[in-house]
Amino acid sequence: MIAITNWHLLMGKSEDDSEVNPLQDPSGVVKDIFPARPGISAGNSLETLDSAYFSGGEIEYLAKLDDLVVMNDEAHHIHENKTAGVVQEVEWQKSLSYIAKDKGSSFIQIDFSATPYDTTGSGQKRAKHYFPHIVVDFDLKDAISLGLVKMITIDKRKELSSLELDYKAIRDGDENKGTVIGLSDGQKVMIQAGLKKLEILESEFTKIDKTKYPKMLIMCEDTTVVPFVVEYLKTLDLSDDDIMGVHSNKKGELKPDEWLNLKQKLFNVDRLAKPKVIVSVLMLREGFDVSNVCVIVPLRSSRASILLEQTIGRGLRLMFREPEYIDIKKENLQNVLIKKQPPKNYLDVLSIIEHPAFNEFYDELIAEGTIGVDEGSTIGGALGDMINVELKENYKEYDMYFPYIVQSEDEELSTPNLDINTLAPYTYHSIEQLKSWTTKGEVFHSQEMTVKTNFGDYTISVDLFKAQNYNDYLVKLLEQVTTTLGRTKAQGHSRKLPLMQINQPQLLGICDAYIKTKLFNTNFNPFENENWRILMLKGANITQHIIKEISRAVYEMQNETVSNKAIVEKNYFSSITPLRMREKFSTELVKTIYERASYPPNKGGFEKAFLQFLDSDTKVLKFIKIDEFKHLFARVFYFRDDGLMGWYSPDFMVETKDDIYLVETKSDKDLKDANVKQKQKATLNFVQNVNKLDDEIREFKTWHYLLIGETQFYSLEKSGADIEDLANSAKVNEANYSGSLFDI
C-alpha cells in the first residue's frame, strides 16, 4: 500500500497520547462527550460532521500497521523548531513518533530536503547546523554538472555595483517595522535589471520555439510590499495581464472560486504567454514547481541563506529538455563553471539579479564552482548559435519519402504451425544445478523480490517483468515477445505498441509446450515443487533465452505471408519542419530539402565530410540527413542483443538515377558492436522487403544498405571515388552474415 498525504494529516498527535489532562483542558472533556460538532460556517453539513468525527483515525490506522516506511519531502520543517539551541520536535514529527513507537526496527523514516540544516548568527558568524542523520548528499553542484537542473548565474550589473543604494522598502517611521510606503531605488534598479533580462529571453526564445514563455519571479520582503511592486511594474509598461501577485494574504482577499482560478493559472504558467512576472512572498517558496522561471529578483532583505536557496529552487527545473539542446547546454556549463567565462547562451540558465545582502552566499557558491557570473557580456545572445532551419523554396526538387509497408501485397499471417523442435534448448546449466539454487518456499537471492509465505504468493522479478505464478509468467512472457516500445509523434513519449495482435492463444500454447518439453531437453513440470521459479533465477538468463527463441518464431511467422497487392504509406521528409540545430555545427548544401544540415559537435568531422562528399558527387541526385528525433517515421525495428525490440534510424538516405541507399556511418571502433550488427541485419531485411514491392511503388529504383567506416571512407574519397564506388565497397548483403536476425 502506498499512501500520499500532506503534513496536515499528521498535526496534533503526541507521542504519548494520554499526556493531555482533561481537567486542565476543558475542551478535551467536551471533545470526549461530543466528538462530532458542526462548524460555524458550514452549518450542520454531514461532510463537516464526518470530517470531525473521523479526524485522527488515519494516524491510529498507521500506528497499528506491523511495518511502515515514511518518506518526508521538504523534511527540514520537521526539525526547524529550535529553543535555546535544542531542536524540538514539531507536531508533524510527534505524530510520526507516535506511529513508530510500537514498530521497533520495522519502521523506517527517510527525510528529503534541499536544505537539511538550521542557520544561526549572521555575517561572518553565520553557521550552518546540519541534521545529524544525513546519509546521502546530492548537492546542487552535482545536479547542475549533470545537466539535471538549470545552470545558475548571478547578474552583476554595473549599475548595481556603482551606486550606493538601499535595497529595503521605504517605510514610515521605523525602517524595519514601519508601514511600507514605497519601493527603494535599489529595489527599482533590481526590478529593471530583471525585466531587461526577461525581455532578451522573450525575444530570443520565441525565435527558436514559439511555445517557450520565460517568466520572472520577484520575491518580496513581506506581503505589504507586493502591491507596490505590482504598481511599479505597471509604470514600466506592463499590463494587468502581464503581472500576477501571489502572497500569503491573497487567499483571504479572494472568493474560493477566484482563488481556485488563480492557483490553476499559476501552476500552468509554463503554457501561458501571460503573466510574464510573478510577484510573491512566501507562498511560492516550496511546491511551486514550474519549468519556465528563468529570472529571479530576490527583493527580500533577510540574510537567511536557507530562504534564498529555497527561492532559487523555484527556478531550477529544465525548460529546454529536447535532445537537440543537449550539446550546446553542456558546452555552456564547461564555459561558465570550468573556464570561468561568461555564458554563451541562456538556454536553461537561471539568472539571479544580485542582491548585496546575499553577497557572502553568492561568493561561496562561485568559489565552489556551483554558479557563474554574468556581467552582461554574453557571447552569441540568449540562444547561442541555435537556429531554426526551414525548407528551401525549391525543396520539392529534393524531397524524398521513407516507405512504411502497411501491408505487403495483402499480407496475411498464417496460423502458427511451429515445430518446437526447431527452437534451441537452454544448455548453460543443467536442470539439476538450477534446482539446487533454490528451495521451496524460500526467498530467491535476486533484486526486488518479495515473498509472502503466509499465502504462498511470490513476487519475483528480473529486469524484464514480474510474475506471481506460472500462468502469470506465461502471460508476461507473451507480452514481451508480442509488443515493442515506440514513440508517438504527437505526444513524443515512449509507449508500448502491439507488434502482433492475432494468434496469441496459439503462441501461448507454443510457449507452454516449449518450456515443458524442449527447453531443458527433458520433460519439465513447472507446477511440481514450484519448479516454475527456476525460470526466474537471476543470472541464469533462462527467461532471456526463451524470449529470444519465441521472438524468432514470431518474426518468422510475420514473414510467412500470402501476397496480392501491397499497401505502402509514403512519409515525406518535407512534412517535418523546422529543424533545430547549431549553426556552428551545420553546413549549407544544395541537394537536400533543408537550408542547412547538421552534424554532431563531438567528433562530427566524418559526417560533415560525408555530407559535403554527397553534395559534390554528380551521381547523387538528392539526399537527406535523417534526424532520429524528428523524422520518427524513418525507422527500422531490430532485436537488441538482449532479445528485446528496439528502433533504429539510418544516418542518411541517398538517391541516384537507379538506386536508393540507406547509409550508416560508423567510427571504426563501433563496427563490431553487437547491437550495430543487429541493426545491420534488420535494415538489410527492411531493404529486401522494399525491393519486393512493385516497380511503380519504388519508382523503378533498387534499394541498398551501406555501412561505411571512417577509415574506409577517407581512403576511397582520397582516391576520387563516387557514391557507386563507395556502394561497391560498403554494401551490406546476405553474404555478410551467416544465420538470421536472432543470432546474437
Side-chain angles (χ1 to χ4, degrees):
M1 179 185 68
I2 298 175
I4 302 174
T5 183
N6 56 24
W7 59 270
H8 301 83
L9 179 73
L10 301 175
M11 294 300 290
K13 173 64 67 174
S14 303
E15 184 172 357
D16 182 4
D17 199 37
S18 62
E19 65 182 350
V20 177
N21 187 340
L23 297 179
Q24 296 175 347
D25 183 7
S27 65
V29 179
V30 176
K31 185 175 180 180
D32 288 340
I33 300 173
F34 301 109
R37 302 180 305 281
I40 297 174
S41 60
N44 295 304
S45 72
L46 292 177
E47 290 82 2
T48 303
L49 294 172
D50 284 346
S51 176
Y53 184 77
F54 291 110
S55 177
E58 299 90 347
I59 295 179
E60 294 297 335
Y61 175 82
L62 295 172
K64 292 177 182 178
L65 292 176
D66 293 332
D67 48 66
L68 187 67
V69 175
V70 174
M71 296 185 181
N72 291 311
D73 192 21
E74 306 291 359
H76 44 271
H77 291 296
I78 295 180
H79 311 282
E80 66 183 3
N81 188 10
K82 202 166 190 178
T83 304
V86 179
V87 176
Q88 303 290 330
E89 284 189 341
V90 296
E91 295 301 322
W92 182 358
Q93 184 59 57
K94 288 179 182 178
S95 293
L96 290 176
S97 298
Y98 174 81
I99 291 170
K101 67 178 183 178
D102 295 327
K103 292 181 175 59
S105 60
S106 295
F107 178 86
I108 300 174
Q109 178 177 325
I110 304 173
D111 292 347
F112 292 93
S113 173
T115 52
Y117 57 81
D118 290 314
T119 57
T120 58
S122 61
Q124 294 182 345
K125 295 183 178 180
R126 183 172 61 87
K128 293 181 179 180
H129 304 281
Y130 285 92
F131 301 152
H133 60 291
I134 293 175
V135 178
V136 175
D137 179 18
F138 185 76
D139 61 19
L140 181 59
K141 181 179 180 181
D142 290 334
I144 292 174
S145 63
L146 291 173
L148 301 179
V149 296
K150 289 190 183 85
M151 179 173 65
I152 304 172
T153 61
I154 302 301
D155 275 33
K156 288 184 173 289
R157 301 290 172 181
K158 294 180 181 179
E159 60 265 28
L160 290 180
S161 59
S162 61
L163 299 175
E164 291 293 334
L165 300 174
D166 186 2
Y167 294 93
K168 296 181 180 180
I170 301 174
R171 296 177 181 268
D172 183 15
D174 191 304
E175 64 174 12
N176 295 317
K177 299 180 180 179
T179 303
V180 175
I181 58 175
L183 301 181
S184 66
D185 290 340
Q187 290 178 321
K188 292 178 180 179
V189 169
M190 290 181 67
I191 292 172
Q192 290 175 14
L195 280 179
K196 183 177 180 181
K197 173 62 70 69
L198 183 66
E199 289 170 3
I200 294 172
L201 300 183
E202 285 180 326
S203 62
E204 294 287 307
F205 287 177
T206 52
K207 292 179 183 177
I208 199 76
D209 189 338
K210 293 181 180 180
T211 66
K212 302 290 188 183
Y213 305 114
K215 308 295 179 184
M216 181 168 82
L217 176 63
I218 301 177
M219 293 294 285
C220 300
E221 53 189 282
D222 62 46
T223 58
T224 59
V225 177
V226 173
F228 290 95
V229 173
V230 171
E231 289 304 313
Y232 180 65
L233 289 169
K234 292 179 182 179
T235 67
L236 300 176
D237 297 327
L238 269 70
S239 67
D240 288 336
D241 291 339
D242 290 327
I243 309 164
M244 177 181 285
V246 183
H247 54 85
S248 54
N249 285 345
K250 197 70 177 180
K251 185 174 181 180
E253 297 171 2
L254 298 176
K255 296 178 181 178
D257 57 336
E258 293 175 332
W259 172 242
L260 184 63
N261 291 334
L262 178 66
K263 283 202 301 182
Q264 189 173 22
K265 186 176 181 180
L266 177 64
F267 287 88
N268 284 280
V269 292
D270 285 348
R271 292 178 287 181
L272 303 173
K274 295 183 178 183
K276 299 178 180 180
V277 181
I278 301 166
V279 187
S280 182
V281 184
L282 292 178
M283 287 199 67
L284 304 184
R285 187 175 63 175
E286 295 166 353
F288 178 60
D289 296 315
V290 297
S291 301
N292 290 14
V293 173
C294 299
V295 182
I296 293 181
V297 180
L299 294 184
R300 293 183 62 85
S301 58
S302 168
R303 295 177 181 270
S305 60
I306 188 170
L307 181 62
L308 184 61
E309 285 189 30
Q310 291 168 354
T311 301
I312 289 174
R314 300 314 100 210
L316 287 178
R317 291 201 172 198
L318 295 177
M319 183 176 180
F320 294 88
R321 301 169 185 264
E322 295 82 359
E324 55 263 37
Y325 300 113
I326 292 175
D327 292 316
I328 192 171
K329 292 197 298 181
K330 188 179 296 183
E331 282 188 14
N332 214 29
L333 281 170
Q334 295 176 341
N335 193 64
V336 175
L337 300 183
I338 298 177
K339 298 180 181 179
K340 305 298 181 182
Q341 297 295 320
K344 290 186 176 181
N345 63 77
Y346 291 125
L347 296 171
D348 276 331
V349 172
L350 177 61
S351 299
I352 310 296
I353 305 302
E354 180 191 27
H355 190 306
F358 299 110
N359 279 341
E360 183 180 351
F361 174 73
Y362 297 145
D363 291 342
E364 289 178 6
L365 295 180
I366 293 171
E368 66 184 26
T370 300
I371 65 174
V373 176
D374 181 11
E375 297 180 342
S377 56
T378 300
I379 306 167
L383 299 174
D385 62 343
M386 289 294 298
I387 56 174
N388 271 345
V389 175
E390 303 286 352
L391 296 171
K392 297 176 181 176
E393 290 186 6
N394 64 336
Y395 75 90
K396 291 183 180 179
E397 296 180 33
Y398 304 107
D399 206 1
M400 306 172 73
Y401 71 85
F402 199 88
Y404 173 67
I405 304 175
V406 179
Q407 181 173 297
S408 296
E409 299 185 350
D410 279 340
E411 187 176 85
E412 183 179 336
L413 293 180
S414 58
T415 302
N417 187 23
L418 294 176
D419 182 1
I420 60 174
N421 291 316
T422 63
L423 304 180
Y426 176 84
T427 58
Y428 297 100
H429 304 286
S430 69
I431 194 169
E432 288 75 18
Q433 284 181 300
L434 296 171
K435 288 181 178 179
S436 70
W437 293 347
T438 181
T439 58
K440 180 180 178 181
E442 293 185 357
V443 177
F444 279 113
H445 294 286
S446 59
Q447 190 176 8
E448 299 181 352
M449 183 188 72
T450 59
V451 179
K452 301 176 182 178
T453 53
N454 291 339
F455 306 96
D457 183 10
Y458 293 85
T459 300
I460 310 165
S461 71
V462 292
D463 293 336
L464 299 174
F465 55 80
K466 296 181 180 180
Q468 294 181 316
N469 52 56
Y470 178 63
N471 291 334
D472 188 25
Y473 176 83
L474 285 178
V475 172
K476 300 290 186 181
L477 192 67
L478 183 66
E479 179 183 346
Q480 287 294 322
V481 298
T482 58
T483 60
T484 184
L485 279 178
R487 289 179 68 86
T488 58
K489 182 177 177 181
Q491 292 83 18
H493 60 269
S494 295
R495 56 176 295 190
K496 284 192 174 181
L497 300 174
L499 174 64
M500 186 176 184
Q501 292 179 289
I502 64 173
N503 296 324
Q504 294 202 2
Q506 293 89 334
L507 272 177
L508 196 65
I510 291 169
C511 293
D512 183 45
Y514 173 55
I515 291 171
K516 290 180 177 178
T517 62
K518 184 62 188 297
L519 179 62
F520 297 112
N521 269 332
T522 185
N523 290 332
F524 174 74
N525 186 348
F527 299 104
E528 183 180 344
N529 295 320
E530 294 178 333
N531 283 337
W532 71 274
R533 295 189 296 147
I534 292 172
L535 305 175
M536 302 287 287
L537 276 172
K538 188 176 180 71
N541 296 323
I542 303 173
T543 295
Q544 289 85 343
H545 175 84
I546 297 171
I547 288 175
K548 175 184 170 183
E549 290 301 305
I550 302 300
S551 294
R552 177 172 60 82
V554 172
Y555 181 80
E556 291 174 351
M557 283 168 50
Q558 293 194 99
N559 286 277
E560 295 177 6
T561 62
V562 177
S563 300
N564 290 315
K565 188 176 181 180
I567 300 175
V568 177
E569 183 180 293
K570 296 182 178 180
N571 297 291
Y572 282 88
F573 286 94
S574 59
S575 65
I576 305 300
T577 184
L579 298 183
R580 298 189 189 100
M581 61 186 68
R582 299 186 62 183
E583 186 173 20
K584 180 180 178 181
F585 298 102
S586 64
T587 181
E588 293 183 356
L589 301 166
V590 174
K591 299 176 183 178
T592 188
I593 61 174
Y594 297 109
E595 295 170 340
R596 304 181 72 88
S598 66
Y599 53 88
N602 182 28
K603 300 179 181 179
F606 179 19
E607 284 196 12
K608 180 182 179 181
F610 189 71
L611 284 167
Q612 294 170 339
F613 165 81
L614 294 174
D615 208 40
S616 61
D617 187 349
T618 57
K619 290 186 178 181
V620 174
L621 301 180
K622 59 183 79 170
F623 65 93
I624 186 79
K625 170 70 170 66
I626 298 175
D627 187 325
E628 64 177 320
F629 301 113
K630 297 296 183 181
H631 301 131
L632 302 182
F633 52 78
R635 289 180 164 183
V636 177
F637 72 81
Y638 74 100
F639 289 97
R640 306 186 322 216
D641 60 358
D642 60 6
L644 296 180
M645 187 174 288
W647 292 99
Y648 151 72
S649 295
D651 291 329
F652 303 91
M653 186 171 167
V654 183
E655 184 173 336
T656 64
K657 179 183 177 182
D658 299 315
D659 303 285
I660 291 179
Y661 302 100
L662 293 181
V663 184
E664 178 74 8
T665 54
K666 283 293 180 187
S667 61
D668 296 335
K669 66 181 178 64
D670 292 330
L671 289 175
K672 295 183 179 181
D673 180 81
N675 275 323
V676 170
K677 292 184 177 295
Q678 289 301 101
K679 294 174 185 177
Q680 295 168 26
K681 296 175 186 179
T683 309
L684 176 61
N685 185 71
F686 171 79
V687 166
Q688 290 170 339
N689 286 336
V690 172
N691 285 330
K692 292 177 184 177
L693 300 173
D694 290 343
D695 291 342
E696 291 83 2
I697 297 176
R698 294 184 285 109
E699 298 179 352
F700 299 92
K701 309 252 181 178
T702 303
W703 285 57
H704 310 275
Y705 178 46
L706 309 184
L707 179 66
I708 303 175
E710 189 169 5
T711 302
Q712 177 188 22
F713 167 73
Y714 285 119
S715 175
L716 289 169
E717 182 196 34
K718 188 176 181 180
S719 64
D722 56 29
I723 186 63
E724 291 181 356
D725 298 320
L726 217 59
N728 291 332
S729 174
K731 192 178 297 182
V732 179
N733 52 50
E734 290 180 334
N736 296 103
Y737 300 101
S738 59
S740 72
L741 200 64
F742 298 89
D743 292 331
I744 301 171

